[in-house]
Amino acid sequence: MAKRENLQNSNNKPRKKKRTKHKKVPENGFCLQDSLASWNHGVQPLGNLLLAQSSFNSRDIGLGNLCVLTDESILDILGLLGAKDLCMLSLVSRAFYVFSNHDPLWRNLVLEEFKGRFSFTASWKHTYVSTVSSSCSLAQLGRGLQVRSFYSDYLFQSWLCANIELKQEWLEVDNIERRNDLSIEDFILQFEKPNKPVLLCGCLSNWAALKKWDRDYLMEKAKDVDFSVGPVDMSLQSYYKYADSVNEERPLYLFDPRFVEKVPSLSEDYEVPVYFREDLFSLLGDERPDFRWLIIGPARSGSSFHIDPNSTSAWNAVVRGSKKWILFPPDIVPPGVHPSDDGVEVACPVSILEWFMNFYEQTKQWKRRPIECICKAGEVMFVPNGWWHLVINLEDSIAITQNYVSRRNLLNVLDFLKSPNAKDLVSGTRDRVNLYHKFRDAYEASFPGSIKELMLEDEAKKAKKTSFWDSVMDAKVGSFKFGF
């Protein structure tokens, strides 16, 4: 996919994650979890300063001449410091205390210094300290000081995104087409050729994974195996302990492209759905780009807006849990997302929750609204090539996803691979520059002359092309033909 643990009881068995009751959502407001695991040291949004009895902001006083810098700039500077320097700086003033204890700074330190060899406890700072000194207890470290009159939108929003509940209105729209018992021919004609998303039901009934895959089973199968979790590798036991304990804006996501090689027996528990078995990248053998991933994550983890790599299409099958999807077609950039002209970089909100808070409401006013749905266990999402999509887990989830090339998107993939900046855009392979020639040669050797035929078909299709949005909109009234 594109760029942008479970606590143990005395019997060493995984302990179920406790579910907390939630407060009623205020009208036009946000609902906070009753049990707030993250601590914001009394930071308030800047707007509260207007209602305060004085104009005193301990942020500005405590930073001295550095108060002219944005909060992001200050944190960027502090990100260059080590743990000892952050601890020393926290003694300078209340403001530096708050900034130096910003938990994402300590998260970076833990991941950089200890890689995946840590046991998460309460917060990233406490995890760092307890990893360095096992004799340091949570009671000794405490939850930190409460600082009065500190106002910062940036720090407050980071805390808020870690602690708010998803609003019901963010989840209730379900406007995707759902199909059961769809034939392969109808899938190709109705969805793959027109490059249209669909949610497929009932096509995983023969997957043993649906019955067998839970954390106990996976940890038993992968006892000594490390999986890719963000920038580090971790054991499943360590990851589940983290996932059960953490409460942060951007939870780490287990996203491993080598899970079959690491645990070959897992491949016996699932098979590629019948709709996606034409996988032309397989002609490259061991030189094919990364194409399949095991995905595990707690509620609120997920992937922010991206387009899948190498112009491939994808399928995503949920084995456990459920996921909220939001998809925009290739010609519609989601609000708040700013890709560079060459497509190499994409600037977007820091977290998925931040996007929902600040940009989701805008989409309600658009005539061309995104495709939305909740994909549950046993269901498969088809993501056509070029579509922007965001995915967030609504509960602890396990899924398998695979990117593939069929004859329907072969020309798109070839064009992508031979683009002038392919060395920057192509991903999942060591040989970005030569992938185009290797893939084209391998395909031509297996299907001689068919690329020319596909190009002629494509030219004919473009001559009478009707866009996906034109096909679902009533031109007279400007509304969708199907209900939301």
Side-chain angles (χ1 to χ4, degrees), residues 109-118 127-128 131-132 232:
L109 288 175
V110 170
L111 299 181
E112 288 171 5
E113 296 187 26
F114 309 129
K115 309 303 180 187
R117 306 303 175 192
F118 63 87
T127 299
Y128 184 95
T131 303
V132 172
V232 301

Side-chain angles (χ1 to χ4, degrees), residues 318-359:
V318 178
V319 178
R320 285 280 185 275
S322 57
K323 299 172 180 285
K324 167 72 178 183
W325 286 77
I326 298 181
L327 304 97
F328 287 85
D331 60 329
I332 300 294
V333 178
V337 177
H338 305 282
S340 60
D341 292 338
D342 59 5
V344 174
E345 297 182 356
V346 177
C348 58
V350 169
S351 65
I352 298 172
L353 268 296
E354 184 180 355
W355 185 86
F356 273 102
M357 290 171 58
N358 296 332
F359 298 102

Side-chain angles (χ1 to χ4, degrees), residues 78 80-92 100 105-106 109 113-114 125 128-129 132:
L78 298 191
L80 302 174
L81 303 181
K84 182 177 180 180
D85 292 328
L86 284 178
C87 290
M88 294 293 290
L89 191 63
S90 69
L91 303 176
V92 172
S100 298
L105 291 174
W106 292 91
L109 288 175
E113 296 187 26
F114 309 129
K125 182 177 181 180
Y128 184 95
V129 174
V132 172

Side-chain angles (χ1 to χ4, degrees), residues 121-175:
T121 310
S123 71
W124 285 106
K125 182 177 181 180
H126 185 267
T127 299
Y128 184 95
V129 174
S130 61
T131 303
V132 172
S133 175
S134 57
S135 62
C136 180
S137 68
L138 181 59
Q140 288 175 310
L141 192 61
R143 296 200 67 183
L145 300 175
Q146 186 85 354
V147 177
R148 295 182 179 179
S149 303
F150 191 106
Y151 303 94
S152 164
D153 283 342
Y154 184 84
L155 295 181
F156 181 81
Q157 177 145 305
S158 177
W159 172 85
L160 182 62
C161 287
N163 290 285
I164 63 169
E165 289 296 323
L166 286 165
K167 299 174 73 170
Q168 186 58 37
E169 65 191 68
W170 297 344
L171 307 177
E172 59 192 9
V173 176
D174 194 317
N175 57 4

Side-chain angles (χ1 to χ4, degrees), residues 257-258 260-261 279-292 427-431 435 438-439 442:
R258 300 280 182 266
V260 170
E261 293 89 332
D279 185 2
L280 299 178
F281 261 160
S282 64
L283 297 172
L284 290 169
D286 294 338
E287 292 189 275
R288 73 174 301 169
D290 293 341
F291 69 104
R292 62 186 170 198
S427 64
T429 179
R430 298 174 185 172
D431 192 357
L435 185 62
K438 290 180 179 179
F439 181 43

Side-chain angles (χ1 to χ4, degrees), residues 245-385:
S245 306
V246 76
N247 191 54
E248 60 181 336
E249 184 177 7
R250 295 176 296 152
L252 292 173
Y253 208 14
L254 190 153
F255 210 87
D256 195 286
R258 300 280 182 266
F259 73 99
V260 170
E261 293 89 332
K262 293 175 179 179
V263 190
S265 61
L266 293 181
S267 64
E268 301 170 3
D269 296 336
Y270 79 97
E271 62 182 12
V272 175
V274 293
Y275 308 105
F276 314 110
R277 290 181 182 172
E278 184 182 51
D279 185 2
L280 299 178
F281 261 160
S282 64
L283 297 172
L284 290 169
D286 294 338
E287 292 189 275
R288 73 174 301 169
D290 293 341
F291 69 104
R292 62 186 170 198
W293 292 263
L294 172 67
I295 310 172
I296 300 177
R300 304 161 67 90
S301 63
S303 301
S304 57
F305 275 111
H306 64 281
I307 296 173
D308 279 349
N310 305 328
S311 198
T312 54
S313 297
W315 56 268
N316 187 300
V318 178
V319 178
R320 285 280 185 275
S322 57
K323 299 172 180 285
K324 167 72 178 183
W325 286 77
I326 298 181
L327 304 97
F328 287 85
D331 60 329
I332 300 294
V333 178
V337 177
H338 305 282
S340 60
D341 292 338
D342 59 5
V344 174
E345 297 182 356
V346 177
C348 58
V350 169
S351 65
I352 298 172
L353 268 296
E354 184 180 355
W355 185 86
F356 273 102
M357 290 171 58
N358 296 332
F359 298 102
Y360 179 79
E361 191 67 25
Q362 294 182 23
T363 66
K364 291 185 176 181
Q365 314 304 322
W366 291 16
K367 291 183 179 180
R368 298 170 62 179
R369 293 192 60 184
I371 298 296
E372 301 184 47
C373 69
I374 292 176
C375 187
K376 300 178 181 179
E379 298 178 335
V380 180
M381 173 67 71
F382 167 60
V383 184
N385 70 86

